[in-house]
Amino acid sequence: MIFSKKIRECVEGANNNASIRLHANENPLGSPDIIQTGQYVLSLLSLYPDPTYNALRAAIGERWNINPEQIITGNGSDELIDITLRSLLKPGARLTAPRHSFMMYKKRTDILGALYSEIPVNSGRILPEDLKEAVSHKPDILVLVNPSNPLGHYIAPSEMMSLVETIPPETTIIIDEAYAEFTPDIENTAGIQIVHKRVNSICLRTFSKAYGLAGLRLGWAYVSTDLYPQLEARRAPYNVSALSALAGEHALQDREHLFKTTEYCLSWGRKLVDLFEDYGVKANAQYVNFVFVEFDSEERSREIQNSLNSEGFLIARLTDYSLDHCLRISFGPREQMEKLFSVLEKELKA
């Protein structure tokens, strides 16, 4: 057996736990079958990975038609955020992001002693005048998370490119595309287009969401040539395990699993948004694997959360984002989602 008795017990316990994990934006269909077999694992356990990750970078480059020499591998996109900000953000510098952006950016900015400022968001959109005002403060880094987490909004490449054209070249642009594979523009995302055309730019991607490899911690950055040496120098050797790197190569080949995942999430997103809106509750799930729900009050949000918790569901209440009246509910396997739908329908009627 590949796993020790202790590890098997942990895995089985996680699978059989009474809690239903709809709080962490994991892949509802799991990882591709080719990875679940684990047939290639044993030969890797005693070997260090290739420190250049050439095979993985070549696979990513071939899949997305980008230069492998501009790709940096990471232990999840969280590590790549850390590498980027430690490389580029000095004490007293400024990072600017749309309001309610992925919290890791603010956390790392605060740790580094830099300034964090926000751009107002209007129904998921960044208004040109608000962006102009933000740029007038000369941020060192501008972050755009698209599709957004936790708001669940998406900005099409044409609109994103128009926004970016107004940013001066001395400002580093980070396009965080953790959910890019869920979008209709999967083959030519805004982030990749921007790095193609602009100096001082970075596109971040992950295998955690659409590919179902959250437990293996694997991400990658596509970096403009002027920034690449500086960021690559910050990457620790062997920062990605041999198993994770090979799993990434295999996952890129399984387009059927990717298609099933994205279609499944889009379907459940529409069902849940329709359910909430039928009861007068605002909700959004645009090209992501979760639904963002905005209640009229913090009290109502807490009531729904408590009801779901009592039925075994773990969901995310967005207090860390200063959205005390909002919930984020991830998508799980069909049986879990059908139970969720039933419980929500009952509670929303009450």
Side-chain angles (χ1 to χ4, degrees), residues 136-276:
S136 72
H137 297 284
K138 299 182 179 180
D140 297 272
I141 298 177
L142 174 67
V143 175
L144 297 171
V145 181
N146 189 48
S148 61
N149 174 25
L151 300 182
H153 287 288
Y154 177 61
I155 301 175
S158 57
E159 183 178 350
M160 182 69 79
M161 298 296 286
S162 296
L163 290 172
V164 168
E165 285 175 359
T166 67
I167 311 301
E170 58 267 24
T171 295
T172 301
I173 294 180
I174 300 174
I175 308 296
D176 189 324
E177 294 188 327
Y179 299 89
E181 288 83 1
F182 293 90
T183 73
D185 305 293
I186 177 175
E187 298 300 335
N188 196 23
T189 68
I192 286 178
Q193 291 184 53
I194 289 165
V195 176
H196 275 331
K197 298 178 180 179
R198 186 186 190 275
V199 298
N200 208 9
S201 57
I202 302 161
C203 173
L204 298 180
R205 301 281 285 270
T206 181
F207 284 87
S208 295
K209 308 303 181 185
Y211 290 106
L213 301 185
L216 290 181
R217 310 308 302 130
L218 182 60
W220 55 277
Y222 180 47
V223 185
S224 58
T225 55
D226 56 309
L227 290 180
Y228 183 89
Q230 187 177 359
L231 270 60
E232 174 64 11
R234 286 273 188 177
R235 182 182 66 81
Y238 309 126
N239 64 322
V240 172
S241 74
L243 173 59
S244 298
L246 189 56
E249 292 178 50
H250 282 286
L252 288 169
Q253 299 171 21
D254 195 341
R255 299 196 187 191
E256 181 181 356
H257 182 268
L258 179 64
F259 177 77
K260 287 180 179 178
T261 293
T262 55
E263 288 298 301
Y264 179 89
C265 291
L266 289 172
S267 175
W268 275 109
R270 287 190 291 265
K271 289 178 184 177
L272 289 177
V273 168
D274 288 346
L275 174 64
F276 283 111

Side-chain angles (χ1 to χ4, degrees), residues 84-97:
T84 300
L85 299 196
R86 283 191 295 112
S87 300
L88 305 177
L89 202 59
K90 309 305 178 187
R94 180 182 297 275
L95 183 147
T96 298

Side-chain angles (χ1 to χ4, degrees), residues 19-36:
S19 297
I20 301 172
R21 296 170 56 89
L22 300 185
H23 67 303
N25 296 2
E26 296 158 334
N27 189 307
L29 303 186
S31 57
D33 290 342
I34 192 171
I35 294 168
Q36 291 179 14

Side-chain angles (χ1 to χ4, degrees), residues 51-73:
T52 68
Y53 300 101
N54 279 336
L56 174 60
R57 293 192 297 133
I60 294 169
E62 181 178 2
R63 174 63 185 89
W64 302 113
N65 194 28
I66 57 178
N67 183 359
E69 298 301 318
Q70 291 176 245
I71 295 170
I72 299 175
T73 57

